[in-house]
Amino acid sequence: ETGMTIDGDRTEEKQASLYLNMYLSQFKRNWSYTSVYLLRDRSDEAGNQSFGLYKADYTPRKSAVYLHNMTSILADRPSARKMSSLEYSLGNLPETVHDLLLQNSNGKFQLVIWNERAKGSNEVRVDLGKLAGSVKVYDPTIGTSPVQSLSNTKSVKLTLTDHPVILEI
C-alpha cells in the first residue's frame, strides 16, 4: 500500500508521475498487488483530503487521467499468438531510467521507458536491432495519441523527465 498527499511542493503532477512509475515498477517486478491508499479523497475526516486518484466530488485528478491514458495506450485483446522478440539497447543509462518490453497480440511491441528523477531530465537513445518500418512515441501525460511518428528508423532519441513514454514498434 502506498500513496502521496498533495500539498506544497507535492503537486498533482508529481503525484501522477509517481503513480505511473510505481505501477510500471511493480509490474516489472512481477508483484501481484499494489494498492494506492485512497481511490477517492475522504470528505468525512480531516487529513485525507488529498491522497486519492479522485477528489471527494469524484472529479479525476491528473493521476487518474494519466493512468487511464497509459492503460489505454497499452490495452490489448490477448490471443493465442506466439510471441517474438525485439532487439534493442539503451546506452549509458543512469540508475533512474528503467525499461519494460511488452508485445501486443497483433505482433507490435510496446517499449515503455521511464525515468524516476525528481527534477531534471536525461537524454536517452534507443537503438533498435534492425530497421523499424514504424515507431510511434506516446506520452500518457499528454493523451492517448502519438506525440511523434517515425518511419524506417533504427534509433529513437528521447528526453526523459519524471514519467514514462511508450514506443510502439
Side-chain angles (χ1 to χ4, degrees):
E1 180 180 72
T2 189
M4 182 180 119
T5 58
I6 299 168
D7 60 8
D9 289 340
R10 295 180 294 192
T11 64
E12 270 196 46
E13 190 72 32
K14 288 187 187 234
Q15 181 196 56
S17 294
L18 173 79
Y19 287 175
L20 288 174
N21 294 340
M22 175 198 60
Y23 279 115
L24 287 167
S25 293
Q26 67 86 25
F27 183 81
K28 184 173 181 173
R29 289 174 175 86
N30 293 318
W31 291 6
S32 298
Y33 304 100
T34 299
S35 301
V36 172
Y37 176 61
L38 288 174
L39 180 61
R40 179 182 70 92
D41 292 347
R42 305 234 356 220
S43 57
D44 62 341
E45 67 179 57
N48 288 325
Q49 284 88 16
S50 61
F51 263 102
L53 277 73
Y54 292 84
K55 296 176 184 175
D57 66 357
Y58 296 96
T59 304
R61 291 191 188 280
K62 286 183 178 184
S63 53
V65 173
Y66 293 178
L67 284 167
H68 171 76
N69 289 348
M70 184 172 71
T71 57
S72 295
I73 294 165
L74 297 174
D76 189 25
R77 293 181 181 253
S79 65
R81 182 179 200 282
K82 184 179 179 191
M83 303 312 259
S84 57
S85 62
L86 176 73
E87 287 186 40
Y88 71 95
S89 63
L90 305 165
N92 299 325
L93 295 181
E95 291 179 356
T96 57
V97 175
H98 309 279
D99 64 297
L100 174 66
L101 182 63
L102 306 169
Q103 187 176 20
N104 277 355
S105 58
N106 64 10
K108 292 181 183 178
F109 289 96
Q110 293 175 313
L111 178 59
V112 186
I113 306 169
W114 68 99
N115 197 356
E116 295 180 340
R117 286 185 66 127
K119 294 181 182 178
S121 63
N122 291 102
E123 300 295 322
V124 174
R125 179 181 164 124
V126 181
D127 290 310
L128 304 172
K130 59 183 178 180
L131 193 67
S134 171
V135 177
K136 294 179 182 175
V137 181
Y138 294 86
D139 183 338
T141 68
I142 294 175
T144 58
S145 298
V147 295
Q148 183 180 14
S149 294
L150 304 165
S151 297
N152 300 318
T153 188
K154 287 185 80 172
S155 66
V156 180
K157 290 176 84 176
L158 302 169
T159 301
L160 298 176
T161 56
D162 63 351
H163 64 274
V165 294
I166 301 165
L167 304 182
E168 181 185 85
I169 305 161

PDB file of all heavy atoms in Angstrom, residues 91-115:
ATOM      1  N   GLY A  91      21.779   2.882 -24.192  1.00  0.00           N
ATOM      2  CA  GLY A  91      23.145   3.052 -23.728  1.00  0.00           C
ATOM      3  C   GLY A  91      23.314   4.077 -22.628  1.00  0.00           C
ATOM      4  O   GLY A  91      22.586   5.058 -22.554  1.00  0.00           O
ATOM      5  N   ASN A  92      24.298   3.827 -21.759  1.00  0.00           N
ATOM      6  CA  ASN A  92      24.719   4.757 -20.710  1.00  0.00           C
ATOM      7  C   ASN A  92      23.560   5.317 -19.892  1.00  0.00           C
ATOM      8  O   ASN A  92      23.405   6.530 -19.755  1.00  0.00           O
ATOM      9  CB  ASN A  92      25.532   5.907 -21.310  1.00  0.00           C
ATOM     10  CG  ASN A  92      26.785   5.405 -21.982  1.00  0.00           C
ATOM     11  OD1 ASN A  92      27.406   4.444 -21.523  1.00  0.00           O
ATOM     12  ND2 ASN A  92      27.164   6.042 -23.073  1.00  0.00           N
ATOM     13  N   LEU A  93      22.761   4.448 -19.357  1.00  0.00           N
ATOM     14  CA  LEU A  93      21.600   4.899 -18.585  1.00  0.00           C
ATOM     15  C   LEU A  93      21.955   5.152 -17.127  1.00  0.00           C
ATOM     16  O   LEU A  93      22.662   4.360 -16.513  1.00  0.00           O
ATOM     17  CB  LEU A  93      20.495   3.841 -18.630  1.00  0.00           C
ATOM     18  CG  LEU A  93      19.862   3.564 -19.967  1.00  0.00           C
ATOM     19  CD1 LEU A  93      18.778   2.510 -19.811  1.00  0.00           C
ATOM     20  CD2 LEU A  93      19.281   4.815 -20.573  1.00  0.00           C
ATOM     21  N   PRO A  94      21.403   6.216 -16.562  1.00  0.00           N
ATOM     22  CA  PRO A  94      21.537   6.383 -15.116  1.00  0.00           C
ATOM     23  C   PRO A  94      20.641   5.382 -14.399  1.00  0.00           C
ATOM     24  O   PRO A  94      19.747   4.785 -15.011  1.00  0.00           O
ATOM     25  CB  PRO A  94      21.066   7.819 -14.878  1.00  0.00           C
ATOM     26  CG  PRO A  94      20.172   8.119 -16.020  1.00  0.00           C
ATOM     27  CD  PRO A  94      20.685   7.315 -17.187  1.00  0.00           C
ATOM     28  N   GLU A  95      20.845   5.197 -13.110  1.00  0.00           N
ATOM     29  CA  GLU A  95      20.061   4.232 -12.331  1.00  0.00           C
ATOM     30  C   GLU A  95      18.577   4.588 -12.274  1.00  0.00           C
ATOM     31  O   GLU A  95      17.761   3.732 -11.938  1.00  0.00           O
ATOM     32  CB  GLU A  95      20.613   4.134 -10.913  1.00  0.00           C
ATOM     33  CG  GLU A  95      21.974   3.489 -10.835  1.00  0.00           C
ATOM     34  CD  GLU A  95      22.498   3.423  -9.411  1.00  0.00           C
ATOM     35  OE1 GLU A  95      21.848   3.945  -8.492  1.00  0.00           O
ATOM     36  OE2 GLU A  95      23.566   2.826  -9.231  1.00  0.00           O
ATOM     37  N   THR A  96      18.222   5.814 -12.596  1.00  0.00           N
ATOM     38  CA  THR A  96      16.830   6.240 -12.503  1.00  0.00           C
ATOM     39  C   THR A  96      15.995   5.856 -13.719  1.00  0.00           C
ATOM     40  O   THR A  96      14.776   5.988 -13.692  1.00  0.00           O
ATOM     41  CB  THR A  96      16.741   7.772 -12.316  1.00  0.00           C
ATOM     42  OG1 THR A  96      17.421   8.417 -13.404  1.00  0.00           O
ATOM     43  CG2 THR A  96      17.348   8.193 -10.996  1.00  0.00           C
ATOM     44  N   VAL A  97      16.622   5.396 -14.799  1.00  0.00           N
ATOM     45  CA  VAL A  97      15.899   5.056 -16.033  1.00  0.00           C
ATOM     46  C   VAL A  97      15.667   3.552 -16.093  1.00  0.00           C
ATOM     47  O   VAL A  97      16.570   2.756 -15.845  1.00  0.00           O
ATOM     48  CB  VAL A  97      16.653   5.549 -17.286  1.00  0.00           C
ATOM     49  CG1 VAL A  97      15.964   5.082 -18.560  1.00  0.00           C
ATOM     50  CG2 VAL A  97      16.768   7.069 -17.276  1.00  0.00           C
ATOM     51  N   HIS A  98      14.426   3.176 -16.433  1.00  0.00           N
ATOM     52  CA  HIS A  98      14.025   1.765 -16.489  1.00  0.00           C
ATOM     53  C   HIS A  98      13.282   1.503 -17.799  1.00  0.00           C
ATOM     54  O   HIS A  98      12.735   2.417 -18.409  1.00  0.00           O
ATOM     55  CB  HIS A  98      13.112   1.425 -15.312  1.00  0.00           C
ATOM     56  CG  HIS A  98      13.687   1.847 -14.000  1.00  0.00           C
ATOM     57  ND1 HIS A  98      14.618   1.104 -13.330  1.00  0.00           N
ATOM     58  CD2 HIS A  98      13.455   2.944 -13.242  1.00  0.00           C
ATOM     59  CE1 HIS A  98      14.950   1.727 -12.207  1.00  0.00           C
ATOM     60  NE2 HIS A  98      14.255   2.846 -12.135  1.00  0.00           N
ATOM     61  N   ASP A  99      13.229   0.238 -18.186  1.00  0.00           N
ATOM     62  CA  ASP A  99      12.508  -0.121 -19.410  1.00  0.00           C
ATOM     63  C   ASP A  99      11.749  -1.423 -19.204  1.00  0.00           C
ATOM     64  O   ASP A  99      12.098  -2.240 -18.356  1.00  0.00           O
ATOM     65  CB  ASP A  99      13.459  -0.230 -20.597  1.00  0.00           C
ATOM     66  CG  ASP A  99      14.479  -1.336 -20.434  1.00  0.00           C
ATOM     67  OD1 ASP A  99      15.294  -1.246 -19.492  1.00  0.00           O
ATOM     68  OD2 ASP A  99      14.465  -2.306 -21.226  1.00  0.00           O
ATOM     69  N   LEU A 100      10.697  -1.568 -19.994  1.00  0.00           N
ATOM     70  CA  LEU A 100       9.847  -2.758 -19.950  1.00  0.00           C
ATOM     71  C   LEU A 100       9.360  -3.020 -21.363  1.00  0.00           C
ATOM     72  O   LEU A 100       8.723  -2.153 -21.969  1.00  0.00           O
ATOM     73  CB  LEU A 100       8.658  -2.525 -19.009  1.00  0.00           C
ATOM     74  CG  LEU A 100       7.592  -3.611 -18.950  1.00  0.00           C
ATOM     75  CD1 LEU A 100       8.148  -4.895 -18.347  1.00  0.00           C
ATOM     76  CD2 LEU A 100       6.396  -3.114 -18.146  1.00  0.00           C
ATOM     77  N   LEU A 101       9.667  -4.192 -21.899  1.00  0.00           N
ATOM     78  CA  LEU A 101       9.237  -4.555 -23.246  1.00  0.00           C
ATOM     79  C   LEU A 101       7.993  -5.429 -23.171  1.00  0.00           C
ATOM     80  O   LEU A 101       7.981  -6.448 -22.484  1.00  0.00           O
ATOM     81  CB  LEU A 101      10.355  -5.296 -23.988  1.00  0.00           C
ATOM     82  CG  LEU A 101      10.041  -5.685 -25.431  1.00  0.00           C
ATOM     83  CD1 LEU A 101       9.811  -4.454 -26.299  1.00  0.00           C
ATOM     84  CD2 LEU A 101      11.160  -6.555 -26.001  1.00  0.00           C
ATOM     85  N   LEU A 102       6.962  -5.025 -23.887  1.00  0.00           N
ATOM     86  CA  LEU A 102       5.709  -5.769 -23.983  1.00  0.00           C
ATOM     87  C   LEU A 102       5.432  -6.045 -25.454  1.00  0.00           C
ATOM     88  O   LEU A 102       5.967  -5.363 -26.333  1.00  0.00           O
ATOM     89  CB  LEU A 102       4.557  -4.946 -23.389  1.00  0.00           C
ATOM     90  CG  LEU A 102       4.749  -4.431 -21.960  1.00  0.00           C
ATOM     91  CD1 LEU A 102       3.661  -3.422 -21.609  1.00  0.00           C
ATOM     92  CD2 LEU A 102       4.736  -5.595 -20.987  1.00  0.00           C
ATOM     93  N   GLN A 103       4.585  -7.023 -25.729  1.00  0.00           N
ATOM     94  CA  GLN A 103       4.172  -7.283 -27.097  1.00  0.00           C
ATOM     95  C   GLN A 103       2.677  -7.504 -27.149  1.00  0.00           C
ATOM     96  O   GLN A 103       2.121  -8.274 -26.356  1.00  0.00           O
ATOM     97  CB  GLN A 103       4.907  -8.496 -27.683  1.00  0.00           C
ATOM     98  CG  GLN A 103       4.620  -8.674 -29.162  1.00  0.00           C
ATOM     99  CD  GLN A 103       5.421  -9.804 -29.784  1.00  0.00           C
ATOM    100  OE1 GLN A 103       5.915 -10.692 -29.104  1.00  0.00           O
ATOM    101  NE2 GLN A 103       5.519  -9.774 -31.108  1.00  0.00           N
ATOM    102  N   ASN A 104       2.032  -6.814 -28.077  1.00  0.00           N
ATOM    103  CA  ASN A 104       0.592  -6.975 -28.275  1.00  0.00           C
ATOM    104  C   ASN A 104       0.311  -8.234 -29.083  1.00  0.00           C
ATOM    105  O   ASN A 104       1.192  -8.767 -29.767  1.00  0.00           O
ATOM    106  CB  ASN A 104       0.009  -5.775 -29.015  1.00  0.00           C
ATOM    107  CG  ASN A 104      -0.306  -4.620 -28.103  1.00  0.00           C
ATOM    108  OD1 ASN A 104      -0.180  -4.720 -26.893  1.00  0.00           O
ATOM    109  ND2 ASN A 104      -0.725  -3.526 -28.687  1.00  0.00           N
ATOM    110  N   SER A 105      -0.911  -8.677 -29.042  1.00  0.00           N
ATOM    111  CA  SER A 105      -1.305  -9.860 -29.798  1.00  0.00           C
ATOM    112  C   SER A 105      -1.234  -9.622 -31.303  1.00  0.00           C
ATOM    113  O   SER A 105      -1.185 -10.568 -32.074  1.00  0.00           O
ATOM    114  CB  SER A 105      -2.713 -10.302 -29.390  1.00  0.00           C
ATOM    115  OG  SER A 105      -3.632  -9.259 -29.606  1.00  0.00           O
ATOM    116  N   ASN A 106      -1.192  -8.358 -31.747  1.00  0.00           N
ATOM    117  CA  ASN A 106      -1.052  -8.073 -33.179  1.00  0.00           C
ATOM    118  C   ASN A 106       0.408  -8.111 -33.634  1.00  0.00           C
ATOM    119  O   ASN A 106       0.712  -7.858 -34.785  1.00  0.00           O
ATOM    120  CB  ASN A 106      -1.683  -6.721 -33.527  1.00  0.00           C
ATOM    121  CG  ASN A 106      -0.991  -5.550 -32.853  1.00  0.00           C
ATOM    122  OD1 ASN A 106       0.072  -5.678 -32.252  1.00  0.00           O
ATOM    123  ND2 ASN A 106      -1.607  -4.378 -32.952  1.00  0.00           N
ATOM    124  N   GLY A 107       1.329  -8.407 -32.713  1.00  0.00           N
ATOM    125  CA  GLY A 107       2.737  -8.524 -33.043  1.00  0.00           C
ATOM    126  C   GLY A 107       3.544  -7.257 -32.794  1.00  0.00           C
ATOM    127  O   GLY A 107       4.769  -7.296 -32.801  1.00  0.00           O
ATOM    128  N   LYS A 108       2.883  -6.128 -32.592  1.00  0.00           N
ATOM    129  CA  LYS A 108       3.601  -4.875 -32.343  1.00  0.00           C
ATOM    130  C   LYS A 108       4.167  -4.887 -30.928  1.00  0.00           C
ATOM    131  O   LYS A 108       3.559  -5.411 -30.001  1.00  0.00           O
ATOM    132  CB  LYS A 108       2.672  -3.674 -32.505  1.00  0.00           C
ATOM    133  CG  LYS A 108       2.233  -3.451 -33.928  1.00  0.00           C
ATOM    134  CD  LYS A 108       1.338  -2.233 -34.040  1.00  0.00           C
ATOM    135  CE  LYS A 108       0.854  -2.062 -35.463  1.00  0.00           C
ATOM    136  NZ  LYS A 108      -0.046  -0.905 -35.582  1.00  0.00           N
ATOM    137  N   PHE A 109       5.354  -4.304 -30.801  1.00  0.00           N
ATOM    138  CA  PHE A 109       5.992  -4.187 -29.497  1.00  0.00           C
ATOM    139  C   PHE A 109       5.671  -2.831 -28.882  1.00  0.00           C
ATOM    140  O   PHE A 109       5.482  -1.848 -29.591  1.00  0.00           O
ATOM    141  CB  PHE A 109       7.515  -4.327 -29.621  1.00  0.00           C
ATOM    142  CG  PHE A 109       7.944  -5.719 -29.953  1.00  0.00           C
ATOM    143  CD1 PHE A 109       8.187  -6.082 -31.269  1.00  0.00           C
ATOM    144  CD2 PHE A 109       8.098  -6.669 -28.958  1.00  0.00           C
ATOM    145  CE1 PHE A 109       8.585  -7.363 -31.581  1.00  0.00           C
ATOM    146  CE2 PHE A 109       8.489  -7.959 -29.261  1.00  0.00           C
ATOM    147  CZ  PHE A 109       8.734  -8.309 -30.578  1.00  0.00           C
ATOM    148  N   GLN A 110       5.615  -2.820 -27.576  1.00  0.00           N
ATOM    149  CA  GLN A 110       5.467  -1.583 -26.822  1.00  0.00           C
ATOM    150  C   GLN A 110       6.612  -1.539 -25.817  1.00  0.00           C
ATOM    151  O   GLN A 110       6.658  -2.337 -24.877  1.00  0.00           O
ATOM    152  CB  GLN A 110       4.110  -1.520 -26.126  1.00  0.00           C
ATOM    153  CG  GLN A 110       2.976  -1.410 -27.129  1.00  0.00           C
ATOM    154  CD  GLN A 110       1.623  -1.476 -26.476  1.00  0.00           C
ATOM    155  OE1 GLN A 110       1.370  -2.347 -25.645  1.00  0.00           O
ATOM    156  NE2 GLN A 110       0.747  -0.567 -26.856  1.00  0.00           N
ATOM    157  N   LEU A 111       7.528  -0.630 -26.049  1.00  0.00           N
ATOM    158  CA  LEU A 111       8.676  -0.461 -25.168  1.00  0.00           C
ATOM    159  C   LEU A 111       8.391   0.742 -24.278  1.00  0.00           C
ATOM    160  O   LEU A 111       8.278   1.868 -24.755  1.00  0.00           O
ATOM    161  CB  LEU A 111       9.950  -0.240 -25.985  1.00  0.00           C
ATOM    162  CG  LEU A 111      11.237  -0.003 -25.192  1.00  0.00           C
ATOM    163  CD1 LEU A 111      11.558  -1.170 -24.266  1.00  0.00           C
ATOM    164  CD2 LEU A 111      12.400   0.253 -26.149  1.00  0.00           C
ATOM    165  N   VAL A 112       8.224   0.465 -22.985  1.00  0.00           N
ATOM    166  CA  VAL A 112       7.935   1.525 -22.018  1.00  0.00           C
ATOM    167  C   VAL A 112       9.257   1.896 -21.354  1.00  0.00           C
ATOM    168  O   VAL A 112       9.968   1.021 -20.844  1.00  0.00           O
ATOM    169  CB  VAL A 112       6.923   1.053 -20.949  1.00  0.00           C
ATOM    170  CG1 VAL A 112       6.530   2.215 -20.046  1.00  0.00           C
ATOM    171  CG2 VAL A 112       5.686   0.436 -21.604  1.00  0.00           C
ATOM    172  N   ILE A 113       9.571   3.184 -21.382  1.00  0.00           N
ATOM    173  CA  ILE A 113      10.803   3.679 -20.773  1.00  0.00           C
ATOM    174  C   ILE A 113      10.414   4.796 -19.823  1.00  0.00           C
ATOM    175  O   ILE A 113       9.671   5.708 -20.205  1.00  0.00           O
ATOM    176  CB  ILE A 113      11.787   4.196 -21.837  1.00  0.00           C
ATOM    177  CG1 ILE A 113      12.045   3.106 -22.887  1.00  0.00           C
ATOM    178  CG2 ILE A 113      13.098   4.650 -21.195  1.00  0.00           C
ATOM    179  CD1 ILE A 113      12.786   3.591 -24.099  1.00  0.00           C
ATOM    180  N   TRP A 114      10.892   4.702 -18.572  1.00  0.00           N
ATOM    181  CA  TRP A 114      10.537   5.749 -17.617  1.00  0.00           C
ATOM    182  C   TRP A 114      11.738   6.142 -16.781  1.00  0.00           C
ATOM    183  O   TRP A 114      12.681   5.382 -16.610  1.00  0.00           O
ATOM    184  CB  TRP A 114       9.358   5.336 -16.756  1.00  0.00           C
ATOM    185  CG  TRP A 114       9.559   4.224 -15.785  1.00  0.00           C
ATOM    186  CD1 TRP A 114       9.801   4.345 -14.446  1.00  0.00           C
ATOM    187  CD2 TRP A 114       9.500   2.817 -16.040  1.00  0.00           C
ATOM    188  NE1 TRP A 114       9.895   3.101 -13.863  1.00  0.00           N
ATOM    189  CE2 TRP A 114       9.711   2.145 -14.828  1.00  0.00           C
ATOM    190  CE3 TRP A 114       9.297   2.055 -17.192  1.00  0.00           C
ATOM    191  CZ2 TRP A 114       9.723   0.767 -14.724  1.00  0.00           C
ATOM    192  CZ3 TRP A 114       9.311   0.680 -17.095  1.00  0.00           C
ATOM    193  CH2 TRP A 114       9.515   0.053 -15.872  1.00  0.00           C
ATOM    194  N   ASN A 115      11.658   7.361 -16.290  1.00  0.00           N
ATOM    195  CA  ASN A 115      12.719   7.945 -15.503  1.00  0.00           C
ATOM    196  C   ASN A 115      12.148   8.326 -14.149  1.00  0.00           C
ATOM    197  O   ASN A 115      11.090   8.940 -14.072  1.00  0.00           O
ATOM    198  CB  ASN A 115      13.262   9.191 -16.216  1.00  0.00           C
ATOM    199  CG  ASN A 115      14.614   9.634 -15.708  1.00  0.00           C
ATOM    200  OD1 ASN A 115      15.154   9.068 -14.767  1.00  0.00           O
ATOM    201  ND2 ASN A 115      15.161  10.661 -16.328  1.00  0.00           N
TER     202      ASN A 115
END
